[in-house]
């Protein structure tokens, strides 16, 4: 990162601190955040281009960047049941999520769902046409 981008982050952090302590207005904070975001958006493609260009000479930085992008979160945090109990075990979490989320099975589909159209019943098709 260049000095200009680091300066934007420093200003953003100061503005956030000021907003949390009610010393700065929300609009002022949002403007600073948007400016920092715009600059990061412009810098990101340049960083990626430099990584791709220098891959032969600097493989470590390229693979570090790629592995950073591949990291995913595998575990969901603890959940609360409807009875206000905290659930931490994976099977219990699955049960809570299954109870909470709507099921999308054929049995739960509405009875008036449209039937799929075949070539014979589609409008605009010739009935006696053979291929």
């Amino acid at each position: 990162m260049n000095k200009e981008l680091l300066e934007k982050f420093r200003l953003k952090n100061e503005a956030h601190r000021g907003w949390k302590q009610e010393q700065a207005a929300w609009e002022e904070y949002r403007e600073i955040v948007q400016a920092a975001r715009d600059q990061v958006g412009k810098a990101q493609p340049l960083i990626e281009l430099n990584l791709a260009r220098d891959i032969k000479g600097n493989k470590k930085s390229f693979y570090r960047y790629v592995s950073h992008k591949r990291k995913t979160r595998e575990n969901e945090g603890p959940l609360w049941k409807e009875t206000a109990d905290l659930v931490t075990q994976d099977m219990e979490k699955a049960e809570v999520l299954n109870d909470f989320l709507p099921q999308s099975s054929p049995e739960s589909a509405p009875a008036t769902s449209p039937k799929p159209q075949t070539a014979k019943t589609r409008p605009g098709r010739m009935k006696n046409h053979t291929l």
Side-chain angles (χ1 to χ4, degrees):
M1 280 196 245
N2 60 14
K3 289 182 182 181
E4 195 174 308
L5 192 56
L6 290 173
E7 179 67 20
K8 288 283 186 185
F9 279 127
R10 188 183 63 75
L11 289 174
K12 183 181 91 69
N13 289 338
E14 287 178 3
H16 183 262
R17 203 173 306 117
W19 174 69
K20 287 299 251 185
Q21 295 173 355
E22 298 180 2
Q23 296 172 353
W26 172 253
E27 293 80 19
E28 179 185 344
Y29 168 66
R30 292 305 307 161
E31 288 175 12
I32 293 171
V33 168
Q34 288 297 328
R37 232 180 247 158
D38 289 343
Q39 199 153 7
V40 167
K42 291 175 185 175
Q44 188 76 21
L46 294 175
I47 292 170
E48 291 174 356
L49 179 67
N50 289 338
L51 282 172
R53 189 177 334 125
D54 299 336
I55 188 170
K56 288 187 178 182
N58 195 358
K59 292 182 182 183
K60 184 177 179 180
S61 63
F62 173 75
Y63 286 110
R64 185 178 68 197
Y65 178 79
V66 169
S67 67
H68 173 72
K69 288 291 186 181
R70 290 182 55 189
K71 289 183 182 175
T72 58
R73 186 173 178 181
E74 294 181 12
N75 191 6
E76 184 64 35
L79 300 174
W80 291 98
K81 283 186 179 180
E82 290 179 358
T83 59
D85 295 331
L86 189 63
V87 177
T88 57
Q89 300 297 322
D90 289 339
M91 290 301 291
E92 291 176 349
K93 288 182 198 177
E95 291 172 4
V96 169
L97 289 173
N98 284 337
D99 292 341
F100 179 74
L101 299 173
Q103 298 295 323
S104 60
S105 63
E107 294 85 28
S108 66
T112 59
S113 62
K115 295 179 182 176
Q117 294 181 345
T118 61
K120 294 180 183 177
T121 61
R122 272 190 221 149
R125 292 282 183 173
M126 296 171 40
K127 293 182 181 178
N128 295 332
H129 182 68
T130 58
L131 296 177

